[in-house]
Amino acid sequence: MRGREKVANEYASELLMPEYLFSQFIRGSEISFDVILSIKETFGVSLTAAAIRYVNSCDFPVLLACYGPSGRRWYHKSKQVPQYFYPVRAVSKLSPGYRQVLAQDAKYLTNEVDADLWIDARGAEDYEVMEVVWPISRDSLMVFVWWADEGQIVDYGEDEEEVEIPEPTFR
């Protein structure tokens, strides 16, 4: 069933936000939640649909995750996010965005936070990310995360290059 749902969602996304229009719309834009809000308004789609399409299409390291009472439900990350970077499994109560949602503040506030609040990767505690958190139902929320300074991603790539892989030996 999940495979069919994914195909249906991709079809609806392309129908409502055709690639040829969408790519022109986001070309030259900077990373910000305002871009997602303008996609929502311009194409007449939900905030979640706009965010998913943006994350799957942009040329920036960004990710989007959905959380419910039992933790992370699903996520999308752009191709620029390293393979081994994942959103954390549970929402941290230290997130200002999460506290904002609990307070039922309807504004979409951008907060700079320690990367390890949202990113499960070695060394994330040494970096910062930007977050915007918003409710999507009574018990679920979305988080949009991006790196204002891509140092963590660059450093991670350099660390990976330094790892020496031994040549196989044949006997």
Side-chain angles (χ1 to χ4, degrees):
M1 189 65 162
R2 286 234 182 248
R4 288 183 184 173
E5 183 178 341
K6 181 179 180 188
V7 169
N9 286 341
E10 289 171 358
Y11 177 78
S13 177
E14 183 61 30
L15 183 66
L16 297 171
M17 297 174 279
E19 179 61 32
Y20 73 97
L21 293 175
F22 190 83
S23 61
Q24 287 178 347
F25 187 82
I26 66 170
R27 185 177 300 135
S29 64
E30 295 294 320
I31 307 172
S32 83
F33 192 70
D34 291 338
V35 174
I36 294 172
L37 290 171
S38 65
I39 292 167
K40 174 190 181 301
E41 295 302 317
T42 301
F43 291 95
V45 296
S46 71
L47 194 54
T48 300
I52 291 170
R53 182 72 162 169
Y54 180 72
V55 168
N56 290 337
S57 301
C58 78
D59 292 326
F60 300 111
V62 297
L63 64 83
L64 178 73
C66 177
Y67 292 91
S70 59
R72 186 183 71 213
R73 291 183 172 164
W74 54 262
Y75 66 92
H76 289 263
K77 57 185 180 178
S78 69
K79 293 175 185 165
Q80 289 68 28
V81 175
Q83 178 180 354
Y84 299 106
F85 281 35
Y86 296 97
V88 295
R89 294 198 180 274
V91 174
S92 170
K93 292 174 177 43
L94 298 175
S95 160
Y98 176 66
R99 291 194 308 264
Q100 171 193 344
V101 168
L102 290 179
Q104 298 181 347
D105 184 348
K107 298 179 194 119
Y108 301 113
L109 298 178
T110 300
N111 304 294
E112 185 172 16
V113 298
D114 291 336
D116 62 340
L117 287 182
W118 295 114
I119 307 301
D120 184 7
R122 179 177 33 87
E125 66 277 1
D126 297 330
Y127 299 92
E128 287 79 38
V129 294
M130 308 303 286
E131 68 164 16
V132 175
V133 182
W134 69 96
I136 57 170
S137 70
R138 189 173 54 80
D139 67 347
S140 298
L141 59 88
M142 298 291 290
V143 61
F144 175 61
V145 176
W146 71 96
W147 286 259
D149 172 6
E150 297 175 18
Q152 180 182 11
I153 292 169
V154 171
D155 291 349
Y156 185 83
E158 289 172 354
D159 288 348
E160 291 302 304
E161 290 173 10
E162 292 174 9
V163 174
E164 289 187 33
I165 299 171
E167 288 187 40
T169 56
F170 299 100
R171 296 183 181 194

